[in-house]
Amino acid sequence: MEHEPNPISDLFFGRDDAENDLTAGLLNGMVFRPTYAYRQALSGRTSLIIGRKGAGKSAICRQLATPNGHPGTTVLITPDDAAGDEIRRFELQGVSGDTAKSLIWRYVFAVHAARYLCEHARAAHGWRARTSVRALRGFLEANGETDEERLYDRLRRGVRGLQSANLALRAFGIEAEVGLNGSSEGARASRQLEVLENGVAAAFAELGCAGAHTLLFLVDRLEQVWTIDPDSHALVTGLLLASKQVTGRYGSAVRCTLFLRADIYDTLSFGDADKFHSDELRITWTQEELADLALARAAASLKRELTPEQLWGQLLPSTVSGEPTDEYLFRRALPRPRDTIQFLNVCQGVADQRGHRRITEEDVLTATGQFSRWKLTDLAREYSVTHPFLSRLFLLFENYGYVVMLPALATRFEPHRERLQQDFADYAESLTTQGVLDVLFGIGFLGVKRGHKVVYSDGVQVPPQPGEEEFHVHPCFRPALGGLGPVDLTPYSPSRNRNIYVGNALVQAATGSDVSFGISRGSQLLDDVVRACERLLRQLMRAGLPDDMRAEVQARIGHVLDGARRAREDLRNGVPVDVTDHVLAASDFLGNLATQLGEHGIRDEPITRRLEDEARALIRSAGGAVGGGSGSASAP
């Protein structure tokens, strides 16, 4: 008897990167989502697509390069290490690094355009070449640019020709040295390049068909050749300048679309930066768009139509931890396609390994921890060039609550500040409390409470401002850090042996059993615990605590209150109760709670002082005495 196929085994949400997803995954016309960024790039209204790693830049680039994308000819340029090194080393006496790099990029674009024109003229305009096209062919042949070669080889020839002013320009009726004697390297290179670009522009004009089929340059994956040094800065800045120059020089015949990682673009600082604002578009994703992407990919992998209800109620559970599953997943991932694909694939993998025919809530919960560990590691790697100290900073958040108050962060950071500044001397300016906040907010690790909500950086949010003191670790990273609750509090337990500290004072109290007090005295002591908790809960509603932290503290005090009420009821019903233990446990917990709130940055608040007062009052009620000593709330 044949077993029915398991749909979970066939379910697949695609590869992690656009290159592999295009060849061996799901990135094709059926699952590619024509987002606003794609439509803007396709129309030519946007030439600079900016996004974080995994935001879908390469997917847009690869789609534009397909036959179903840009209607004209596309040239995809993705520098490798060798090509990047060649550009970084390129210098010209007499011009800045940015200008020198822009000249070598313009050479690359001009040669590609010349090759395109020669091929297009033959294919679309017959064998009889126009004069301008014959000149381009002559230039390409004279300079060894007739074969389709690696970008590195083209760059190497261009570097040699521009630096030594020996580009063969006879095809354009100009000798290389004419008018260049006594000029600087930069001036000579610029003049030679103008001759070549004039020849390309003349061919576009003579053919007269530019509007019908635009040549589109797509430049992607610059992060592969990026480092933090000034030459890498000039490499990218020069590319931006060259793209602007090329578009202006050739009119509608040529367009350049660049795909840049946000962390690279945001480090750039150059005089003409303000001229690119109208060309910029930062990729953003809404939850609805990510859900649509997930649905399309699931349907493509199963080769059948799927409704949202089938995906989020049959293949996956309808809810996880009380949240709709799609909201649960998207809230715990950064808003970009790669995170969505990876999280869903982990859920599928866990379920498939367990032999499940559908992804269960337990499968999603197991996948959440694995995904969180991946993303914390990936975040440090993503910013390893610009912020190489991140993995050390993440240690400051391990096993704490996810709500982080500014004073608590300063306290945690200070013991490590000097060592970090020594180990990462080039980044010392960022290794202050405010600098750390700005970095962690900028990369999306921390969000800031503004108004009634927590906002995370999306490229347009302003960094933390003076007076903003409440920060939240992004839900994506909480499981990996062990910070699942808003605040890390010692759980309430009425049966532990203890030495009690309130503030810095050791409180000693007699211990006993249920025979230590009579029923009326025991009931009175438990009444004291109940009233203390009720007073604290009323005070808590007026306290200036973060909302999530207040809810957690309220729940913990509620546990003490419920325990005291149950113990009081048992005592009245004749059930033996260790009243002393309940009173000491309550005092212990409330005193520790005050200390722990102080460690989380809640200091000089009425609620912390009230907690300490109630803890002392309970000790006095039980007949204890405050003695000398010192210690902390975590003492055994």
Side-chain angles (χ1 to χ4, degrees), residues 159-167 176-177 180 185 188-189 192:
V159 164
R160 188 168 58 244
L162 293 175
Q163 283 181 331
S164 60
N166 66 357
L167 286 181
E177 299 295 332
L180 300 177
E185 284 183 344
R188 292 196 299 269
Q192 287 190 107

Side-chain angles (χ1 to χ4, degrees), residues 521-583:
R521 172 64 172 151
S523 182
Q524 180 182 345
L525 286 171
L526 292 171
D527 282 345
D528 289 344
V529 176
V530 170
R531 285 193 291 270
C533 290
E534 290 173 342
R535 286 192 294 269
L536 286 168
L537 289 174
R538 289 194 295 271
Q539 179 81 42
L540 188 63
M541 299 308 295
R542 304 190 299 274
L545 269 64
D547 294 342
D548 291 4
M549 189 180 292
R550 179 188 292 109
E552 182 69 13
V553 172
Q554 184 178 21
R556 296 300 181 95
I557 295 176
H559 293 161
V560 181
L561 177 61
D562 291 342
R565 286 171 172 168
R566 286 194 300 269
R568 186 177 60 183
E569 189 66 24
D570 287 344
L571 187 65
R572 291 170 177 171
N573 291 332
V575 179
V577 175
D578 191 333
V579 174
T580 302
D581 197 54
H582 269 278
V583 176

Side-chain angles (χ1 to χ4, degrees), residues 82-105:
D85 193 48
E86 196 70 39
I87 299 175
R88 279 194 297 269
R89 290 202 311 262
F90 181 64
E91 296 176 348
L92 291 170
Q93 177 264 326
V95 297
S96 67
D98 293 355
T99 300
K101 269 62 168 181
S102 74
L103 293 177
I104 190 61
W105 279 116

Side-chain angles (χ1 to χ4, degrees), residues 7 45 105 108 263 314 324 335 538 625 632 634:
R45 287 188 291 270
W105 279 116
V108 170
D263 56 315
Q314 296 179 17
R538 289 194 295 271
S632 68
S634 59

Side-chain angles (χ1 to χ4, degrees), residues 11-23:
L11 184 63
F12 181 53
F13 292 92
R15 304 289 181 187
D16 292 348
D17 60 287
E19 293 79 12
N20 286 323
D21 209 20
L22 186 63
T23 58

Side-chain angles (χ1 to χ4, degrees), residues 488-536:
D488 180 42
L489 300 176
T490 302
Y492 170 65
S493 174
S495 60
R496 295 185 294 118
N497 293 326
R498 57 184 58 80
N499 289 325
I500 303 172
Y501 292 86
V502 177
N504 290 322
L506 172 64
V507 178
Q508 299 170 326
T511 59
S513 65
D514 57 300
V515 297
S516 299
F517 306 103
I519 290 178
S520 60
R521 172 64 172 151
S523 182
Q524 180 182 345
L525 286 171
L526 292 171
D527 282 345
D528 289 344
V529 176
V530 170
R531 285 193 291 270
C533 290
E534 290 173 342
R535 286 192 294 269
L536 286 168

